Amino acid sequence: MITIPRETLEIMEDEAREASRNAYAPYSEFPVGAALLAEDGEVYVGCNVENASFGLTVCAERCAVHAAVSDGRGRGDLSALLIYVPGETCHSPCGACRQVLSEFLLPDTPVYSACDTGEIVAWTMDELLPDSFELPVASQPE
Ligand code: THU
């Protein structure tokens, strides 16, 4: 697994914690924050945004991916993801987010989960979603 410096992880954890405070989660009351690190050190954040039509909810991880892609980042430009959920359990990303993350994170890219115990759990993208569904990319924007 690629190693991320401890100071960078701490920055990501702070950013994800702050993003979780912006979560719109009135139905689940389960706020999630995500921090996605680009290769040049920029950090993109996301939080979960729920909807009264529950299926329209967007998870924090996908929100962060969309922010990075909207800023011109693509597959291979992203070095690590960290999610934060308040409480005593370090949660792993849901299945839908694993599929979306696998589109942009390389198999050995680390994915971290932090909570309030001080522990940080780590996986590689490939550990979270081995044998992910892929299609050949027909064209890449310049
Ligand atoms: N959620 C995330 O933001 N990320 C995940 O990986 C799992 C679930 C959100 C969706 C919903 O707003 C709330 O957590 C409870 O499922």
Side-chain angles (χ1 to χ4, degrees), residues 24-25 28-33 47-51 57-62 83 85 91-95 97-98:
Y24 179 72
S28 71
E29 297 185 321
F30 188 84
V32 184
C47 62
N48 49 332
V49 182
E50 297 186 346
N51 191 275
T57 291
V58 180
C59 291
E61 298 90 324
R62 280 179 281 153
I83 65 170
V85 177
H91 293 271
S92 66
C94 79
C97 287
R98 294 179 193 205

Side-chain angles (χ1 to χ4, degrees), residues 8-89:
T8 308
L9 269 185
E10 282 168 7
I11 291 168
M12 292 173 74
E13 188 175 346
D14 288 347
E15 296 266 1
R17 184 180 282 108
E18 196 171 322
S20 78
R21 296 196 190 103
N22 295 329
Y24 179 72
Y27 306 109
S28 71
E29 297 185 321
F30 188 84
V32 184
L36 189 51
L37 179 70
E39 285 202 318
D40 60 3
E42 185 142 354
V43 176
Y44 296 92
V45 297
C47 62
N48 49 332
V49 182
E50 297 186 346
N51 191 275
S53 178
F54 295 159
L56 298 180
T57 291
V58 180
C59 291
E61 298 90 324
R62 280 179 281 153
C63 200
V65 167
H66 294 181
V69 173
S70 300
D71 196 38
R73 307 295 180 161
R75 184 172 170 83
D77 296 339
L78 301 165
S79 310
L81 174 84
L82 183 146
I83 65 170
Y84 166 84
V85 177
E88 304 286 300
T89 305

